[in-house]
Amino acid sequence: MEIAVIHFIILVAISEMSPPGLTKGAGVLPDTPLNKAVGETVMFSTTLTPSETPFQSVTWKFGAKNIYFNVNNFTEPEYEGRITFFISTGSLELRNLTHNDSGEYSVFFSIAGEPPKEGNTRLDVTMPVSDVMATASSTDLVEDSSVRLSCSSSGSSLSFLWLNSSSEVTASDRVQLTDGGANVTINVTPYNQGPFRCNVSNPVSDDTSGPINLFISWCTLPLPNVKRISGAFIRSKTNPSIEGNSFNLSCDAAGSVFTRDWMKDGLHLTPDDNMALYDNNRVLSFNSLSNKDTGDYFCKVSNPLSHDDSTYTMVVFYGPENVQICGPSEIHLKETLTLICFAESVPATYTWKLNGTKIHNSAIFTKNITESSDSGDYICEVMNSITGRTLSAVHGLSVTGKGWSGGLSAGAIAGIVIVCLVASSAGAGGGYYLYKKKNKKTLPPSESKEPEECVFENT
């Protein structure tokens, strides 16, 4: 009991002291707030580096309350079992977070031979999003009638976003968003059939409701006046689909088009920071293409009488990047040299040079080594005719010694084969694999040196 009282007196004294030369902020703790979910763990990491001289004292505070003091390892009772202190940097870990842990945190350092240091930051503890549900005041409607869609969810610090198929629902003369976007009232048209979904998010999580489909009758638009849809097509009016460039696709058809629905590789498209839908889903727009945007894009157009669809295969041109050469760096006279060049590039054109002189045009270069002058720097230059970019790699080769007096037979040469299999994909996976096969014939020991085996993997 007496020790706890002494600790309390020391903590109060330190918290009330404002010694001359105190360095406030100074990047000791992050300037931006930390966001965590209820039940998670947060690490308050300082920017101080470990030193041979330990801190004289370190005090952590939550608001005006001291929660940890490293002298005698004193921890406020309500934080027992939830705090871990890292003595080398003064960092603090706090576990099993609750809403009550939201607020300002500060740390005070007393360092021998240096001015005291102070830092502060903010922690926001949020309840994750769950149980997202969307409801409609009615689903059987006529054109120009109104419907109210409501979204409910558990969680805290919630943000609401409504989607009509894959397009974001925004305020207009026919659409009113209220209660922070949780409710939307729509004066319906044939384009408002849905499905409608509500996406709820906060700084630590997000979730989406199930779909709501509206059934809309056109009393004011007799079906005989609705023209059947035919000849659906997708086209691009923009520049070639090059990585990093903006790009647009448009979906059109003959007839009365009421709705358009986009998919990629069998999945519905959802707008994000890089992709948006405009003009009643007619235009699919990319801000900056990446390799993962390669794929088959499908657009379905429909009205109450008919529907049609079209598919567009997009290839995103990129590269060259990661040019590499596989092969031996040392070889004997009269042996066969095989070098393989490969790169991440769509498309790619390969040019080989030896000491600055062009010698070959393909990814695989093969040559019978007959002269010592075949030594040198073999350069593989990869050019992408679409992106206009060029990149190269250099492979040094040394020709040494005399070859086998009998030379290599055609069968022996064929027994050393390097096969380069390039496997790539538009997503995060993909890679490059290189392997070799051996002929059953046994070469003389002095001549059995094969090209180096290279294995490259991208994950």
Side-chain angles (χ1 to χ4, degrees):
M1 181 66 179
E2 292 179 356
I3 294 175
V5 172
I6 293 172
H7 285 168
F8 177 77
I9 294 172
I10 294 173
L11 292 173
V12 172
I14 290 176
S15 66
E16 292 179 350
M17 290 191 302
S18 298
L22 180 65
T23 304
K24 293 188 176 181
V28 173
L29 289 175
D31 294 330
T32 55
L34 301 173
N35 292 293
K36 291 292 180 179
V38 170
E40 288 187 340
T41 297
V42 65
M43 172 67 79
F44 296 104
S45 299
T46 72
T47 59
L48 302 182
T49 55
S51 65
E52 296 181 358
T53 304
F55 303 118
Q56 290 180 323
S57 66
V58 180
T59 306
W60 278 92
K61 301 177 68 175
F62 173 48
K65 178 173 64 175
N66 297 295
I67 61 174
Y68 180 80
F69 183 49
N70 76 319
V71 176
N72 295 328
N73 197 29
F74 174 78
T75 302
E76 190 70 18
E78 64 183 280
Y79 290 91
E80 288 286 352
R82 297 179 59 207
I83 282 178
T84 299
F85 176 71
F86 297 86
I87 193 169
S88 61
T89 61
S91 301
L92 190 76
E93 181 184 79
L94 180 59
R95 299 179 291 277
N96 299 325
L97 295 174
T98 70
H99 278 301
N100 294 332
D101 292 317
S102 295
E104 298 290 333
Y105 289 78
S106 55
V107 62
F108 303 83
F109 292 94
S110 176
I111 306 172
E114 298 183 24
K117 289 182 172 61
E118 175 186 0
N120 55 74
T121 190
R122 178 173 179 82
L123 171 66
D124 291 318
V125 182
T126 307
M127 181 68 73
V129 174
S130 63
D131 301 325
V132 178
M133 180 177 294
T135 57
S137 59
S138 176
T139 56
D140 293 312
L141 304 160
V142 295
E143 188 177 13
D144 289 328
S145 63
S146 293
V147 63
R148 178 183 173 87
L149 305 179
S150 299
C151 186
S152 62
S153 173
S154 299
S156 56
S157 303
L158 303 178
S159 296
F160 296 86
L161 173 69
W162 283 94
L163 298 172
N164 178 2
S165 186
S166 54
S167 297
E168 180 180 351
V169 177
T170 57
S172 66
D173 57 342
R174 303 181 70 92
V175 177
Q176 292 80 46
L177 294 168
T178 56
D179 300 319
N183 298 307
V184 57
T185 302
I186 304 173
N187 190 17
V188 298
T189 71
Y191 297 103
N192 299 133
Q193 293 181 347
F196 287 89
R197 291 178 175 87
C198 174
N199 176 267
V200 184
S201 62
N202 63 20
V204 298
S205 62
D206 71 276
D207 198 4
T208 303
S209 72
I212 296 177
N213 291 285
L214 303 181
F215 302 95
I216 304 171
S217 302
W218 298 272
C219 303
T220 59
L221 182 62
L223 290 180
N225 294 334
V226 177
K227 296 181 180 179
R228 288 187 174 275
I229 291 175
S230 63
F233 63 92
I234 301 174
R235 65 182 174 186
S236 167
K237 295 182 179 179
T238 53
N239 296 326
S241 49
I242 297 176
E243 184 179 43
N245 288 1
S246 60
F247 193 75
N248 288 344
L249 293 174
S250 61
C251 176
D252 284 302
S256 303
V257 177
F258 285 8
T259 61
R260 295 177 176 86
D261 188 29
W262 287 86
M263 301 177 71
K264 176 181 180 284
D265 298 331
L267 299 176
H268 284 280
L269 289 178
T270 301
D272 54 30
D273 292 339
N274 186 53
M275 182 185 67
L277 288 166
Y278 299 104
D279 192 12
N280 292 321
N281 287 9
R282 191 182 70 85
V283 178
L284 174 62
S285 178
F286 298 86
N287 292 331
S288 178
L289 286 173
S290 67
N291 189 27
K292 68 180 180 63
D293 295 319
T294 294
D296 291 329
Y297 290 80
F298 173 89
C299 177
K300 179 180 178 180
V301 292
S302 59
N303 66 27
L305 293 180
S306 59
H307 62 84
D308 198 6
D309 57 66
S310 179
T311 300
Y312 180 94
T313 299
M314 180 164 71
V315 176
V316 177
F317 302 105
Y318 66 96
E321 301 171 1
N322 191 30
V323 179
Q324 299 189 47
I325 300 173
C326 184
S329 58
E330 182 180 310
I331 196 169
H332 294 167
L333 289 169
K334 298 185 180 180
E335 289 185 339
T336 299
L337 170 67
T338 300
L339 298 177
I340 299 178
C341 180
F342 55 98
E344 299 175 41
S345 182
V346 176
T349 301
Y350 296 84
T351 300
W352 287 91
K353 297 179 182 179
L354 174 59
N355 299 327
T357 302
K358 292 183 179 180
I359 57 175
H360 192 62
N361 290 302
S362 74
I364 301 177
F365 173 70
T366 302
K367 176 180 174 63
N368 292 324
I369 301 301
T370 59
E371 303 290 341
S372 296
S373 59
D374 290 327
S375 298
D377 289 333
Y378 286 77
I379 299 174
C380 174
E381 184 179 86
V382 184
M383 184 186 73
N384 188 317
S385 59
I386 304 297
T387 66
R389 303 169 192 161
T390 300
L391 194 64
S392 60
V394 180
H395 183 85
L397 180 71
S398 174
V399 178
T400 60
K402 292 184 178 180
W404 181 35
S405 60
L408 289 178
S409 67
I413 295 174
I416 306 173
V417 179
I418 296 178
V419 179
C420 188
L421 173 64
V422 178
S424 62
S425 68
Y432 299 85
Y433 306 92
L434 195 66
Y435 63 91
K436 62 184 178 181
K437 297 179 180 177
K438 296 181 181 179
N439 190 278
K440 293 183 179 179
K441 290 187 177 181
T442 302
L443 300 180
S446 61
E447 300 300 329
S448 61
K449 181 177 179 63
E450 299 182 8
E452 296 175 355
E453 180 180 15
C454 300
V455 178
F456 300 92
E457 292 186 331
N458 258 342
T459 55

